[in-house]
Amino acid sequence: MQALSRCKSASWETQVDPSAWTAEIVEHWSWSDEVLIGLVALLKACPSSSQSLPIAQLYSHLQSRLLSPSRTLRSNVLALLTSKMVKSSPAEHEALRHRLQGDEVSLDMHGKFGDVVWNIIFSELQQPQGANQIPDWLTKDDQNVMDPWEEERSWRDPTAHRVGGAAVSWLDTFHHHKIIVLEQKSSDRFDPVTFEAQILLTLGQCTSLVENIITSCKFSNPKALHSTDTLRELYLSLLSHPDRELQKVSLSCLLAYKLPHLQHHQAKLGLLLDETKWRDELTSLHMSSIEIKHRPQVVDIIVRLLYGLMLEKKGRSRGSDRRAAVLTALAGCTDEELYFLVDLMLKPMQADSHARQDNLFSLHPISSDIPLKQQSGYLTLLGDVLKNLGSRLTTYWPALLGTTLDIVANAQNHLSNVTAVDADGQVEDEANEEESESGEVSNSRVLRYLRQQGLRWLAEFFRCPVEFDFTSYLSASFPAIVAPLLNILNAP
């Protein structure tokens, strides 16, 4: 079609029916950006006397393509709908024309059409439209079938390989079919996971959240706002966020409520978030000096702020040094107040400080919603917490120890399903992990790291000089964690 569009229309207009071609392509080939590119080029070259098609006949087939992650596909669908081949009302044509222009403009996340934009974004996160836009026969990978198989690829003679490939193609009676299929495949491979990550990354770059929070801070009487209790809980939860600027804004919003227990500590709380003075302020922080009547609320806020500082990845100080400094300051809390810290640690693991308090312990499966990186972060923080506060957290050990054993058991269960070579591989430190050829860290290596760290901190629980009954924990974890490792040790 692109070749025809470059020729004079008089040479082919009597042999081509643009209306029929358009209807056929839209019904069966609208998933292919290459076909639509050719069709749009052909329609531009067609004489104006061609019979047009009603937009209702085409739009039902093209509607989902307008949400495609492929910009080329979206643009050509809009170009087709605004072409002279499609008969539409002036309002419809104008709307499509503006949509075509808007495809080059960033979406307004908080403007006139904010709700519409958010609804589209969240529907894309739940079920990306690009996931099912190509026929099944195009998803089959025939490229490897056309490549001659070789038992040893460490050395390859390029000439012999090309001769072998030519022979395989010559003997394959379906070679021409496979070539046609390969040519229809788009160079833009749709990856739903990457697509979702890019949407979330885009939202992460949007400053409207901070801007909206800053706006709400300017109200002189935030208690009179609609759903003020919900807003206050939101501000409180954001205090533990690792983004210091977001912490500052959230703290300012809480201070706008002019709560008596916060007014006396406003200056100190602000200095804890100062990038140059926070360490000095942390050194001079004396939790025992906080009045008893103010302690529940003030300690909660201080723990949240310091927890966010521990998770912060920016700054000149090393993460381990920052965590050690913060945990040293938190040692001024009473044993009962430390549940604030434990709750924040266990929240990403979908647990809390009062979990697993029953006498009979049993392993729980790790939810698939909790990524490996999040489990690794929990274990990293747990190690520092045990070193600094372990003996004072025995009340919450059932939750902490149970979650740790769950992670180790889950990692061991997944590792049992890999090949013997991978399962027997040496455990490497996460900092020295090598990337695979695809650029992604192997899951098995991350699982080995989780197992190694989990067992390491399990031993740390035993080393703490406190009395604790480990009987039920050992009984439940031995067959799931210890026994598989003994089998590996017995292997020749």
Side-chain angles (χ1 to χ4, degrees), residues 400-416:
L400 294 171
L401 180 58
T403 302
T404 304
L405 290 173
D406 290 342
I407 293 175
V408 178
N410 178 71
Q412 179 59 50
N413 181 53
H414 282 81
L415 287 171
S416 298

Side-chain angles (χ1 to χ4, degrees), residues 215-233:
T215 301
S216 64
C217 292
K218 297 180 180 179
F219 289 103
S220 57
N221 185 18
K223 296 180 181 180
L225 293 174
H226 176 67
S227 301
T228 182
D229 293 335
T230 304
L231 283 174
R232 188 163 57 183
E233 288 298 319

Side-chain angles (χ1 to χ4, degrees), residues 15-300:
Q15 299 174 317
V16 174
D17 185 351
S19 300
W21 283 32
T22 301
E24 184 74 12
I25 289 173
V26 167
E27 183 176 357
H28 300 290
W29 295 88
S30 60
W31 52 267
S32 173
D33 52 358
E34 295 291 338
V35 174
L36 288 180
I37 289 174
L39 177 61
V40 170
L42 182 67
L43 293 180
K44 290 180 179 179
C46 284
S48 57
S49 58
S50 301
Q51 182 181 359
S52 59
L53 297 172
I55 189 173
Q57 179 182 345
L58 306 178
Y59 188 74
S60 59
H61 298 287
L62 298 175
Q63 183 177 7
S64 63
R65 316 302 182 197
L66 293 175
L67 294 177
S68 169
S70 172
R71 184 178 182 181
T72 304
L73 183 60
R74 293 196 311 269
S75 299
N76 282 282
V77 168
L78 291 168
L80 171 60
L81 291 175
T82 55
S83 68
K84 54 190 175 184
M85 177 55 61
V86 180
K87 183 179 181 180
S88 59
S89 66
E92 291 172 333
H93 183 81
E94 187 69 11
L96 290 170
R97 188 178 66 83
H98 283 297
R99 175 65 180 83
L100 182 58
Q101 295 175 345
D103 204 46
E104 306 293 331
V105 181
S106 61
L107 291 173
D108 184 3
M109 305 297 291
H110 50 275
K112 181 178 179 181
F113 303 104
D115 292 339
V116 177
V117 173
W118 280 110
N119 289 335
I120 292 175
I121 287 177
F122 282 114
S123 66
E124 283 292 285
L125 282 173
Q126 295 168 357
Q127 177 59 50
Q129 295 291 334
N132 301 308
Q133 288 194 352
I134 58 177
D136 294 336
W137 56 266
L138 196 56
T139 60
K140 297 179 180 179
D141 188 7
D142 290 328
Q143 186 172 4
N144 292 333
V145 178
M146 297 169 60
D147 188 22
W149 179 83
E150 296 180 3
E151 184 175 354
E152 180 59 56
R153 294 196 179 195
S154 59
W155 180 86
R156 170 185 285 180
D157 184 347
T159 303
H161 182 72
R162 286 195 294 269
V163 172
V168 169
S169 301
W170 182 48
L171 296 173
D172 188 358
T173 55
F174 295 98
H175 177 68
H176 63 287
H177 172 75
K178 295 175 181 177
I179 291 296
I180 293 174
V181 171
L182 288 176
E183 289 181 350
Q184 299 303 317
K185 290 188 176 182
S186 173
S187 58
D188 299 329
R189 182 177 64 87
F190 178 77
D191 184 350
V193 176
T194 304
F195 179 61
E196 293 169 2
Q198 290 299 322
I199 290 180
L200 294 175
L201 181 62
T202 302
L203 296 180
Q205 298 298 323
C206 180
T207 59
S208 59
L209 176 61
V210 176
E211 291 173 355
N212 290 336
I213 294 179
I214 291 176
T215 301
S216 64
C217 292
K218 297 180 180 179
F219 289 103
S220 57
N221 185 18
K223 296 180 181 180
L225 293 174
H226 176 67
S227 301
T228 182
D229 293 335
T230 304
L231 283 174
R232 188 163 57 183
E233 288 298 319
L234 172 63
Y235 302 147
L236 193 64
S237 65
L238 290 176
L239 290 178
S240 59
H241 197 280
D243 187 326
R244 195 173 302 206
E245 291 302 318
L246 190 55
Q247 284 183 298
K248 290 179 181 179
V249 174
S250 301
L251 179 61
S252 298
C253 291
L254 278 176
L255 294 175
Y257 282 85
K258 298 179 180 179
L259 301 174
H261 60 272
L262 292 182
Q263 296 300 312
H264 299 288
H265 306 276
Q266 179 174 348
K268 285 186 172 292
L269 294 175
L271 289 175
L272 286 175
L273 298 178
D274 190 293
E275 294 185 2
T276 59
K277 300 178 181 179
W278 72 271
R279 189 176 290 275
D280 294 335
E281 185 61 30
L282 197 63
T283 304
S284 61
L285 179 63
H286 300 292
M287 304 289 280
S288 58
S289 63
I290 302 175
E291 298 181 22
I292 296 178
K293 61 180 180 180
H294 295 160
R295 287 189 71 87
Q297 295 81 13
V298 176
V299 171
D300 181 19

Side-chain angles (χ1 to χ4, degrees), residues 190-484:
F190 178 77
D191 184 350
V193 176
T194 304
F195 179 61
E196 293 169 2
Q198 290 299 322
I199 290 180
L200 294 175
L201 181 62
T202 302
L203 296 180
Q205 298 298 323
C206 180
T207 59
S208 59
L209 176 61
V210 176
E211 291 173 355
N212 290 336
I213 294 179
I214 291 176
T215 301
S216 64
C217 292
K218 297 180 180 179
F219 289 103
S220 57
N221 185 18
K223 296 180 181 180
L225 293 174
H226 176 67
S227 301
T228 182
D229 293 335
T230 304
L231 283 174
R232 188 163 57 183
E233 288 298 319
L234 172 63
Y235 302 147
L236 193 64
S237 65
L238 290 176
L239 290 178
S240 59
H241 197 280
D243 187 326
R244 195 173 302 206
E245 291 302 318
L246 190 55
Q247 284 183 298
K248 290 179 181 179
V249 174
S250 301
L251 179 61
S252 298
C253 291
L254 278 176
L255 294 175
Y257 282 85
K258 298 179 180 179
L259 301 174
H261 60 272
L262 292 182
Q263 296 300 312
H264 299 288
H265 306 276
Q266 179 174 348
K268 285 186 172 292
L269 294 175
L271 289 175
L272 286 175
L273 298 178
D274 190 293
E275 294 185 2
T276 59
K277 300 178 181 179
W278 72 271
R279 189 176 290 275
D280 294 335
E281 185 61 30
L282 197 63
T283 304
S284 61
L285 179 63
H286 300 292
M287 304 289 280
S288 58
S289 63
I290 302 175
E291 298 181 22
I292 296 178
K293 61 180 180 180
H294 295 160
R295 287 189 71 87
Q297 295 81 13
V298 176
V299 171
D300 181 19
I301 290 177
I302 291 177
V303 172
R304 290 177 183 273
L305 292 176
L306 296 182
Y307 184 81
L309 291 181
M310 285 196 293
L311 299 185
E312 188 181 35
K313 297 186 181 299
K314 298 185 298 181
R316 293 175 295 178
S317 59
R318 295 172 52 193
S320 57
D321 294 339
R322 187 187 303 113
R323 290 191 296 270
V326 169
L327 291 171
T328 300
L330 290 179
C333 297
T334 64
D335 293 354
E336 292 75 18
E337 290 169 343
L338 288 175
Y339 88 88
F340 291 125
L341 172 63
V342 178
D343 277 343
L344 291 173
M345 290 176 59
L346 291 173
K347 184 177 180 180
M349 302 302 299
Q350 300 179 3
D352 57 58
S353 58
H354 302 293
R356 319 294 276 271
Q357 295 292 336
D358 48 340
N359 295 327
L360 186 60
F361 171 78
S362 61
L363 293 171
H364 293 174
I366 297 293
S367 172
S368 58
D369 297 332
I370 304 176
L372 296 179
K373 185 176 181 181
Q374 204 158 281
Q375 299 175 43
S376 176
Y378 165 78
L379 291 177
T380 300
L381 182 57
L382 176 66
D384 292 315
V385 170
L386 288 176
K387 292 176 183 177
N388 291 272
L389 302 170
S391 60
R392 298 183 54 193
L393 297 175
T394 51
T395 305
Y396 316 112
W397 272 24
L400 294 171
L401 180 58
T403 302
T404 304
L405 290 173
D406 290 342
I407 293 175
V408 178
N410 178 71
Q412 179 59 50
N413 181 53
H414 282 81
L415 287 171
S416 298
N417 297 326
V418 302
T419 62
V421 175
D422 289 335
D424 294 338
Q426 182 180 1
V427 178
E428 299 179 11
D429 189 87
E430 187 182 45
N432 298 324
E433 288 176 350
E434 296 179 357
E435 291 188 351
S436 61
E437 291 181 359
S438 62
E440 299 178 354
V441 177
S442 171
N443 274 350
S444 62
R445 292 186 178 179
V446 180
L447 290 168
R448 289 193 192 100
Y449 172 78
L450 293 178
R451 182 179 64 183
Q452 178 199 41
Q453 290 297 93
L455 292 173
R456 181 182 177 185
W457 303 138
L458 176 61
E460 196 67 29
F461 276 104
F462 282 94
R463 294 191 185 100
C464 285
V466 297
E467 292 185 3
F468 188 82
D469 186 7
F470 290 95
T471 305
S472 61
Y473 297 90
L474 293 176
S475 301
S477 59
F478 188 90
I481 299 174
V482 181

